Amino acid sequence: MESFLIKGGAPLHGEVTISGSKNAALPILAATLLTDEPCVIRRVPDLSDTRFMVQILQSLGATAEFENGTVTVHARKIKGYADYELVRKMRGSICIAGPLLARLRKARISLPGGCIIGARPINLHLKGFASLGVKTKIEGGYIDATVKKLVGNIMFLGGRAGPTVLGTANVMMAATLADGVTVIESAACEPEVVDVANFLNAMGAQIAGAGSPTITVTGVKKLHGAEYEVIPDRIEAATFLIAAGATNGEVTLRGARADHLRAVIDKLHEAGVAVERCGTNLIARRSGKLKPVDITTLPYSGFPTDVQAQMMSLLALAPGLSIITERIFESRFMHVSELARLGADIEIEGPSAIVKGGKPLSGAPVMASDLRASAALVIAGLAAKGTTQVNRIYHLDRGYEQMDAKLRKLGARIQRVEEK
Ligand code: EPZ
């Protein structure tokens, strides 16, 4: 297994180009199953997750080529079940269910497992499908879903932690070919959901309200092929903004969307990291001493849960008490014990982490546990004195395109090595 070896203390300086959004690309690639015509999707980040999704499309019978950030898919004829081993490996593959139901009226998909950050149930996906007339059976680790005819309906998709991002995308995709009108109340408002809706409309769907809590889908008979460019990855952008602040550097992000990052930019400003727009670029630099802040993760447009771990690394450097409360997932503090190995002083109190910031961090071997926790450990290693080895970096490769190369270009002393 591979690790990152980081020699901390070098401020990051220079320019970095933000890749396409993983969390928009995955459902958009699934949406190409909705038509028997070719689709071309651009700015797809080259990650293990996106490569998995391409393999899943191929295992369903579509032709799919991934070349220089562009994926060309032609789902001329497809079957209703995907390779168990493939689907089991990536939760995001649940979003092929909606397109398969719309296209074939059936889907057989392995139940996506939970993961280290939480149980990751799919009850809201199934509730939405049931509202459209789908019958589902869960047996032997599979979901068997069938429907005679998808019929539009009004549904409420809010759950115990608010809306569901992939659940909204999944049901929206199924509804595009249903008879009649579907209204999704308590729909997720994330930019990734808007991106999926924009791609579906480019295919000839009739979707209104994406980005608001009420999405209306008027079913059509057929969807045609389309070309589309995925939005930039706001979570990768947030990660680099935070790394610039943590290393007391100055970094220009090319292609980041400031309008997708308002909550993050607001909190960074409060914490002493200024982010200013310069054309279509964002420039991050410290505006003074780092200051403690309180953060609660919320559905969009609140502070994103996918930036919680990275922010904790920054706040470990800010003298004073910061309180970070995680309201979306039940166990998304796996990075706390690893940050403690670098000298961070953090206590968990229920859904909150109390960060006693300001103690200098010093390098140590640490273990990545999930995608965003890995990013937090890299940020902490960049700011720590001495050498940090972040092990099991495959977690990070799931969601960050060439992070080590991008960081080296900004002056970071980081190498990818075989774990000893
Ligand atoms: C998406 O996951 C993202 N993944 C996650 O990013 C992100 O953290 C999450 O949205 C929240 O923003 C992709 O888009 C591939 P949810 P998703 O359904 O859609 C509960 C990353 O780091 N829930 O919005 O699976 C659920 O348990 C990843 O890039 C139900 O109760 O998340 C959670 O508490 C991690 N029932 C909350 O809703 C359901 O049927 C939000 O989950 C579905 C979800």
Side-chain angles (χ1 to χ4, degrees):
M1 279 192 268
E2 292 184 315
S3 306
F4 278 167
L5 208 53
I6 301 167
K7 200 164 165 12
L12 300 182
H13 281 282
E15 286 201 356
V16 62
T17 300
I18 298 303
S19 301
S21 161
K22 162 178 88 83
N23 291 350
L26 293 175
I28 285 173
L29 289 172
T32 61
L33 296 166
L34 285 162
T35 178
D36 58 3
E37 297 180 12
C39 292
V40 179
I41 313 297
R42 294 196 172 80
R43 195 162 50 189
V44 177
D46 186 1
L47 309 165
S48 46
D49 272 12
T50 48
R51 275 188 245 119
F52 263 139
M53 183 55 87
V54 169
Q55 286 172 36
I56 288 170
L57 298 179
Q58 290 164 341
S59 80
L60 288 165
T63 57
E65 305 300 323
F66 194 172
E67 191 100 16
N68 298 329
T70 297
V71 178
T72 308
V73 185
H74 194 178
R76 198 195 312 271
K77 276 176 74 56
I78 53 170
K79 57 185 200 266
Y81 56 90
D83 176 298
Y84 180 87
E85 276 315 306
L86 273 177
V87 172
R88 196 178 54 79
K89 281 190 191 136
M90 184 184 65
R91 263 197 55 72
S93 50
I94 184 68
C95 60
I96 63 175
L100 291 178
L101 285 164
R103 185 86 187 271
L104 304 175
R105 309 263 185 283
K106 65 180 179 179
R108 178 172 160 76
I109 299 176
S110 80
L111 264 174
C115 66
I116 201 132
I117 65 176
R120 313 298 295 273
I122 55 164
N123 60 307
L124 298 173
H125 297 241
L126 303 181
K127 175 183 178 185
F129 291 149
S131 301
L132 299 175
V134 176
K135 301 268 175 285
T136 47
K137 206 169 56 180
I138 294 186
E139 199 169 71
Y142 276 95
I143 308 158
D144 266 317
T146 54
V147 63
K148 281 204 176 45
K149 190 169 70 162
L150 287 166
V151 179
N153 200 348
I154 297 177
M155 64 188 74
F156 181 83
L157 274 195
R160 57 174 186 74
T164 162
V165 172
L166 283 182
T168 300
N170 226 348
V171 175
M172 184 168 68
M173 290 190 279
T176 54
L177 295 177
D179 269 13
V181 178
T182 296
V183 178
I184 302 174
E185 292 290 0
S186 191
C189 303
E190 273 69 5
E192 294 75 23
V193 172
V194 176
D195 219 26
V196 177
N198 290 340
F199 174 57
L200 293 169
N201 283 340
M203 296 170 81
Q206 288 180 24
I207 298 170
S212 85
T214 304
I215 294 180
T216 304
V217 185
T218 305
V220 295
K221 283 279 164 266
K222 193 174 171 340
L223 294 178
H224 52 72
E227 302 209 5
Y228 194 75
E229 181 170 87
V230 172
I231 51 171
D233 193 311
R234 63 190 169 103
I235 308 301
E236 183 196 26
T239 305
F240 277 99
L241 294 175
I242 293 168
T247 58
N248 199 6
E250 176 170 321
V251 175
T252 298
L253 275 60
R254 273 204 299 265
R257 288 271 303 260
D259 57 325
H260 291 166
L261 286 157
R262 293 210 193 293
V264 172
I265 292 172
D266 177 63
K267 275 300 166 189
L268 282 174
H269 179 76
E270 207 183 314
V273 180
V275 178
E276 62 185 62
R277 296 175 67 155
C278 179
T280 56
N281 295 341
L282 289 180
I283 303 172
R285 63 173 79 83
R286 283 233 189 127
S287 55
K289 271 167 56 66
L290 289 176
K291 294 179 280 249
V293 297
D294 293 344
I295 289 172
T296 298
T297 64
L298 289 168
Y300 193 85
S301 57
F303 193 91
T305 175
D306 293 348
V307 182
Q308 177 256 105
Q310 302 92 308
M311 204 63 187
M312 193 181 287
S313 294
L314 179 74
L315 296 174
L317 304 166
L321 276 192
S322 296
I323 300 177
I324 300 178
T325 302
E326 173 57 58
R327 288 282 181 227
I328 305 296
F329 288 108
E330 54 269 37
S331 61
R332 200 166 196 175
F333 286 143
M334 298 305 290
H335 41 287
V336 169
S337 52
E338 295 306 300
L339 288 173
R341 290 172 54 77
L342 300 174
D345 185 349
I346 305 167
E347 264 173 57
I348 297 177
E349 277 295 322
S352 298
I354 300 161
V355 183
K356 296 173 191 149
K359 298 185 176 70
L361 300 182
S362 50
V366 289
M367 184 82 77
S369 55
D370 60 276
L371 170 53
R372 306 306 173 180
S374 328
L377 295 175
V378 170
I379 291 170
L382 290 169
K385 268 199 303 301
T387 301
T388 295
Q389 174 156 332
V390 183
N391 295 315
R392 302 196 180 171
I393 214 64
Y394 65 85
H395 288 291
L396 192 124
D397 290 335
R398 283 193 42 220
Y400 288 94
E401 192 177 41
Q402 298 184 30
M403 179 184 253
D404 44 337
K406 289 185 177 184
L407 285 170
R408 262 196 305 278
K409 228 174 124 238
L410 294 172
R413 295 169 299 208
I414 179 171
Q415 292 304 324
R416 184 184 286 261
V417 297
E418 267 309 308
E419 189 175 326
K420 287 190 216 43

